[in-house]
Amino acid sequence: MGAGLAARGARVQVLQQGELDRRSREEERRRQHDEWRRQNCLAFQTKLGEAIDALDELIYTLSDGQQPSDARDRLRKAEGAVLRGHFDLVVVCEVAELERISGAALRLLEQALFAVDALRREPAHVTNPNSPLKQYWLDQRRGLLGAYEMFSKALPQVLSVS
């Protein structure tokens, strides 16, 4: 009877150890997934900042009367990166607050691109501070900066919860 109890105790110990190992693996997978989500969210923030920089570079290039082709290419690449980043954010991060802000940023970026293209076609508006077209572009840029700031502020709050 003592041997049976010892065998049963050994089986219980093996089962308990197996359960601990399983929980440890699940916890590690969860930590890795959370880190992956965090990296994707931070990547979107970086891409959005780069798009704002590229937008500014294009306006400065237009203001200086230079050919905007390099700055325009950089802006188009940044726009594509923001679009892919938004998709990754929606699919990977699954955080409604960040998805909402990134969607708004994407719409503002699109409007800013329309405005900058119009400014590129009408260079006189670039240097005219009273131009409605330039004011529209500035409004879109301000909105884009606001979205970047909102995203930056929301990021630590939602990622610490997840």
Side-chain angles (χ1 to χ4, degrees):
M1 186 141 164
L5 284 177
R8 177 182 281 161
R11 280 193 302 270
V12 167
Q13 189 175 15
V14 166
L15 289 173
Q16 287 173 341
Q17 186 60 44
E19 181 64 19
L20 285 174
D21 291 346
R22 184 187 64 76
R23 286 183 187 168
S24 293
R25 285 190 305 274
E26 285 176 6
E27 180 65 24
E28 182 58 28
R29 275 195 297 273
R30 189 190 62 73
R31 272 194 303 268
Q32 287 175 352
H33 181 71
D34 287 349
E35 179 60 21
W36 184 54
R37 288 175 62 203
R38 189 176 83 71
Q39 290 301 321
N40 274 286
C41 292
L42 291 172
F44 178 80
Q45 181 184 21
T46 300
K47 291 171 186 176
L48 185 57
E50 290 169 354
I52 294 169
D53 291 345
L55 190 61
D56 288 345
E57 180 185 333
L58 181 57
I59 285 297
Y60 295 139
T61 301
L62 290 172
S63 296
D64 292 342
Q66 299 174 5
Q67 284 295 339
S69 59
D70 289 342
R72 192 167 171 3
D73 290 345
R74 182 171 173 236
L75 181 57
R76 291 297 175 198
K77 287 178 185 174
E79 177 191 20
V82 168
L83 184 59
R84 286 186 303 278
H86 173 71
F87 177 76
D88 290 346
L89 193 68
V90 170
V91 171
V92 173
C93 293
E94 299 173 341
V95 178
E97 175 76 6
L98 297 180
E99 290 174 21
R100 184 185 62 75
I101 296 168
S102 70
L106 197 57
R107 287 185 294 281
L108 287 163
L109 178 60
E110 182 180 35
Q111 292 302 309
L113 290 169
F114 288 144
V116 83
D117 281 344
L119 286 170
R120 191 174 51 82
R121 287 188 298 276
E122 298 289 333
H125 290 277
V126 174
T127 55
N128 180 358
N130 297 321
S131 164
L133 186 54
K134 180 152 186 184
Q135 288 304 311
Y136 179 74
W137 175 81
L138 288 171
D139 290 343
Q140 297 309 309
R141 184 184 179 281
R142 271 190 227 99
L144 196 53
L145 286 173
Y148 179 85
E149 289 173 9
M150 285 175 56
F151 191 89
S152 298
K153 289 176 183 173
L155 197 57
Q157 294 169 354
V158 296
L159 290 180
S160 64
V161 171
S162 58

